[in-house]
Amino acid sequence: MVLKTFGWSFAVTALGLVAAVLYGGWAAFGIVAILSVLEISLSFDNAVVNAGILKKMNAFWQKIFLTIGILIAVFGMRLIFPVVIVAISAKLGPIEAVDLALTDKDQYQQYVTDAHPSIAAFGGMFLLMIFLDFIFEDRDIKWLAWLERPLAKLGKIDMLSACIAMIVLLITSMTFAANAHQHGGAHVDKAQTVLISGLAGLITYLVVGGLSGYFEDKLEEEEEREHEEEEEAERAGKPRSAVALAGKAAFFMFLYLEVLDASFSFDGVIGAFAITNDIVLMALGLGVGAMYVRSLTVYLVRQGTLDDYVYLEHGAHYAIGALAAILLVTIQYEINEFITGSIGVVLIAWSFWSSVRRNKALAAAEGKADAADKAEVSSGV
């Protein structure tokens, strides 16, 4: 099972490390290895959240996620995205931006650093909306019940998540963005840039998340009537509409996953510049890490881990909330990538430990109940 799921990741790791040695020797080998670990540590919560969505999709779309999705993740977000940032911020053509990335790495890093406020605002708002929608939803299973119960009651207020997100964005634009960190330690006013980028992130979430949610709801409705529709289709000799609807639902959930992955990758791409400003090594290292995140997502789905450890999804969403806050704070202040990755790992490990304790308590309760039933039977009661 492990080899089947992670086989491609192992192969990509070997190819990536060999390519690194051929490109820049053993020093490049070490840099790619470090970047791979950095990406995995920063994106483990991404894998847990992705698994919660991917388990609703069939085997075909899971394969699409591992093939086309990984191409988008590696080449789109880890290679093309940094170049696009430079092209837009420096008002350069795509070819000029690529040439700059390969020939003048220091200048390239400067452009990316100066574009960080807009990247952080977009990604921070998108992730913040994911977190807020999660904690304001009334769920049967609650992890931190003392906190989640009152928040679930507040969640009955329409558009509360969007209102809170916009308030956070306004405060951010008037505080952190007014003294945004730039290359070389300088600080400039990026309030307007952060405001526009944050609104773009909010709109992207509402559009993509809304469409995926709409088609997911429609799919659930169709599944409830699946048996009746199949009988009617067979009698009338007409194709069932549920197949086409499932395709639309899966497509928009796939699109939602890709936007979600893009938002998660912002901190990894920016953090990679603390290690190297070589775009080739960045693409290799972050690409290898992204492949493991994809494989881990599929592994969690196939093993049913989220069903067995019910608080994992909670921990991942709290990690998302922490990452959203960190991204917004980094508009003005630099935060070490170790801190960013550690917060997510700690929250997920805590939720896993809580899930294990819950499972043991349930098993103990069931054991006592079985023992009591046997005692009643043996006594003839």
Side-chain angles (χ1 to χ4, degrees):
M1 177 66 184
V2 173
L3 184 61
K4 182 180 179 181
T5 305
F6 289 89
W8 280 105
S9 296
F10 296 151
V12 169
T13 301
L15 290 174
L17 292 175
V18 169
V21 173
L22 295 176
Y23 175 77
W26 291 107
F29 176 95
I31 291 174
V32 169
I34 293 171
L35 287 173
S36 301
V37 174
L38 172 70
E39 177 69 12
I40 295 171
S41 65
L42 290 175
S43 301
F44 186 80
D45 47 355
N46 186 11
V48 177
V49 176
N50 283 353
I53 302 171
L54 195 65
K55 68 180 181 180
K56 303 173 185 177
M57 303 165 75
N58 59 26
F60 170 77
W61 280 99
Q62 290 181 8
K63 290 180 180 178
I64 293 294
F65 180 72
L66 264 180
T67 52
I68 297 176
I70 192 61
L71 291 176
I72 295 173
V74 175
F75 293 101
M77 288 307 302
R78 275 75 179 182
L79 182 61
I80 298 176
F81 173 68
V83 175
V84 171
I85 292 174
V86 172
I88 294 175
S89 61
K91 298 180 180 180
L92 299 174
I95 297 177
E96 292 177 286
V98 172
D99 180 67
L100 182 66
L102 295 174
T103 60
D104 193 347
K105 297 169 184 176
D106 291 335
Q107 184 68 25
Y108 172 79
Q109 180 179 354
Q110 177 180 340
Y111 282 130
V112 175
T113 303
D114 291 346
H116 176 70
S118 58
I119 299 170
F122 181 94
M125 293 308 297
F126 188 90
L127 295 178
L128 180 62
M129 282 297 298
I130 295 173
F131 170 68
L132 292 175
D133 277 351
F134 181 86
I135 63 171
F136 285 136
E137 183 178 347
D138 190 5
R139 300 176 178 276
D140 294 332
I141 297 176
K142 295 178 174 61
W143 178 31
L144 305 179
W146 57 272
L147 175 63
E148 294 172 10
R149 283 200 184 99
L151 290 176
K153 293 179 180 178
L154 286 174
K156 296 178 181 179
I157 301 174
D158 290 338
M159 302 301 293
L160 180 61
S161 296
C163 291
I164 292 177
M166 285 188 285
I167 291 172
V168 170
L169 179 59
L170 285 173
I171 294 174
T172 301
S173 65
M174 291 186 293
T175 54
F176 299 131
N179 195 28
H181 172 77
Q182 296 288 271
H183 183 78
H187 290 80
V188 297
D189 187 352
K190 290 275 186 175
Q192 184 177 359
T193 300
V194 166
L195 192 60
I196 294 173
S197 300
L199 285 174
L202 178 60
I203 292 170
T204 301
Y205 173 84
L206 293 175
V207 172
V208 178
L211 286 173
S212 63
Y214 169 76
F215 282 106
E216 184 181 350
D217 291 340
K218 294 291 288 183
L219 178 59
E220 290 176 355
E221 292 174 6
E222 290 295 329
E223 287 176 344
E224 293 176 357
R225 300 192 299 266
E226 185 177 20
H227 184 65
E228 296 178 3
E229 289 181 349
E230 184 176 9
E231 291 180 348
E232 291 178 5
E234 289 176 355
R235 287 195 299 267
K238 297 179 180 180
R240 290 162 50 197
S241 61
V243 175
L245 183 62
K248 290 179 182 179
F251 171 75
F252 280 106
M253 280 193 283
F254 172 76
L255 180 61
Y256 177 73
L257 276 173
E258 291 306 314
V259 178
L260 179 63
D261 178 76
S263 297
F264 270 104
S265 67
F266 290 151
D267 61 327
V269 173
I270 299 301
F273 280 102
I275 299 171
T276 180
N277 55 9
D278 190 313
I279 189 172
V280 175
L281 296 181
M282 285 176 60
L284 288 173
L286 297 180
V288 169
M291 190 66 197
Y292 277 100
V293 173
R294 281 296 198 280
S295 297
L296 181 59
T297 297
V298 174
Y299 181 81
L300 292 174
V301 172
R302 293 175 179 172
Q303 290 292 101
T305 305
L306 297 185
D307 295 328
D308 295 335
Y309 303 98
V310 295
Y311 297 141
L312 268 180
E313 197 169 0
H314 294 72
H317 278 86
Y318 281 108
I320 287 176
L323 179 57
I326 288 172
L327 278 173
L328 296 177
V329 171
T330 56
I331 292 174
Q332 180 175 354
Y333 301 103
E334 291 187 77
I335 297 179
N336 190 280
E337 291 73 29
F338 175 79
I339 297 175
T340 304
S342 298
I343 290 176
V345 171
V346 168
L347 286 169
I348 292 175
W350 181 17
S351 64
F352 176 80
W353 178 68
S354 298
S355 299
V356 171
R357 289 185 59 194
R358 174 184 181 273
N359 293 343
K360 288 182 178 179
L362 290 176
E366 289 177 0
K368 291 180 181 179
D370 291 341
D373 291 340
K374 290 178 181 178
E376 288 180 2
V377 171
S378 62
S379 64
V381 177

